[in-house]
Amino acid sequence: MLSDRESARVTIDIPNHLSDYFARSHIALALAAATDDNPLLLVNAPFRALTGYRDEDVIGRNCRMLQGDAPNVEPRAVLREFLADDREGNVRTPIINFRKDGSPFVNLLFMSKLRALDRTVRYVFASQFDISRSQPDMLAEYDDQLARTLGQLRPVLAESGIVLEGSLVTIANTAATVAQAKLTLADLDAKPFG
């Protein structure tokens, strides 16, 4: 009998060129099914390095497991709205996450819907970046890498008839994001979780 995680891995076919792209990427990436509770289907080495979780820890589970005890009221509302609203192509929000060892970090989460040509959402694509203690220039470099990743991912997805939703405008808010992260980090340092 297959566990829920193994079942999710078996029932959703990920195009080889997409999984190969994830393996080559230098930024943290995750891919979730656009079904039920959005179980994770694929994560890459930078994701594992950032979070400390292995594939077998996260595949088949919703990535909200990274939130631990953090309330994340506003980010959760933003993410719920993104997932529920078919017109929303992508979203970016800082959110408190926890590594496998329990240490907290502020994750700058970017999510986009990947659609088949018939407009059916097939996957939810995500990229993560630890902005807890990063400098603005590091975030700007990540933004550049994310923009390149999205640009390179579009033709990779097109090979399978999948379209990346949204635009790069979502990632063009570096100064405001760094300011928000510093406030979130101050709150995180003042009120430890767990």
Side-chain angles (χ1 to χ4, degrees), residues 22-122:
F22 266 56
R24 290 189 314 270
S25 180
H26 297 291
I27 62 174
L29 301 176
L31 188 71
T35 59
D36 302 324
D37 196 33
N38 305 106
L40 288 171
L41 303 170
L42 181 66
V43 296
N44 67 355
F47 176 94
R48 292 187 293 273
L50 173 64
T51 66
Y53 284 101
R54 300 171 306 177
D55 285 4
E56 49 277 2
D57 297 326
V58 297
I59 300 299
R61 298 179 69 185
N62 185 290
C63 61
R64 87 173 61 83
M65 62 165 283
L66 296 174
Q67 295 178 36
D69 295 345
N72 285 321
V73 174
E74 288 178 39
R76 284 182 190 209
V78 167
L79 295 175
R80 275 193 302 274
E81 181 179 328
F82 163 74
L83 291 169
D85 188 345
D86 198 48
R87 296 167 299 174
E88 296 251 1
N90 58 21
V91 67
R92 189 178 205 192
T93 187
I95 189 167
I96 298 170
N97 281 173
F98 294 86
R99 293 179 177 86
K100 186 175 182 178
D101 68 7
S103 61
F105 67 100
V106 180
N107 177 10
L108 179 56
L109 177 63
F110 171 85
M111 292 174 67
S112 180
K113 295 172 183 163
L114 304 183
R115 294 183 188 271
L117 294 178
D118 68 0
R119 304 288 301 148
T120 304
V121 178
R122 296 271 311 274

Side-chain angles (χ1 to χ4, degrees), residues 91-176:
V91 67
R92 189 178 205 192
T93 187
I95 189 167
I96 298 170
N97 281 173
F98 294 86
R99 293 179 177 86
K100 186 175 182 178
D101 68 7
S103 61
F105 67 100
V106 180
N107 177 10
L108 179 56
L109 177 63
F110 171 85
M111 292 174 67
S112 180
K113 295 172 183 163
L114 304 183
R115 294 183 188 271
L117 294 178
D118 68 0
R119 304 288 301 148
T120 304
V121 178
R122 296 271 311 274
Y123 307 104
V124 177
F125 167 85
S127 179
Q128 301 78 20
F129 181 71
D130 179 0
I131 56 173
S132 300
R133 292 169 172 62
S134 70
Q135 300 301 314
D137 58 326
M138 290 176 67
L139 181 56
E141 180 182 330
Y142 166 71
D143 281 351
D144 289 343
Q145 288 180 353
L146 180 57
R148 279 194 304 276
T149 295
L150 297 175
Q152 294 167 351
L153 192 55
R154 289 180 195 279
V156 170
L157 292 169
E159 290 182 38
S160 296
I162 299 172
V163 177
L164 177 68
E165 286 281 294
S167 70
L168 298 179
V169 173
T170 305
I171 66 171
N173 59 359
T174 302

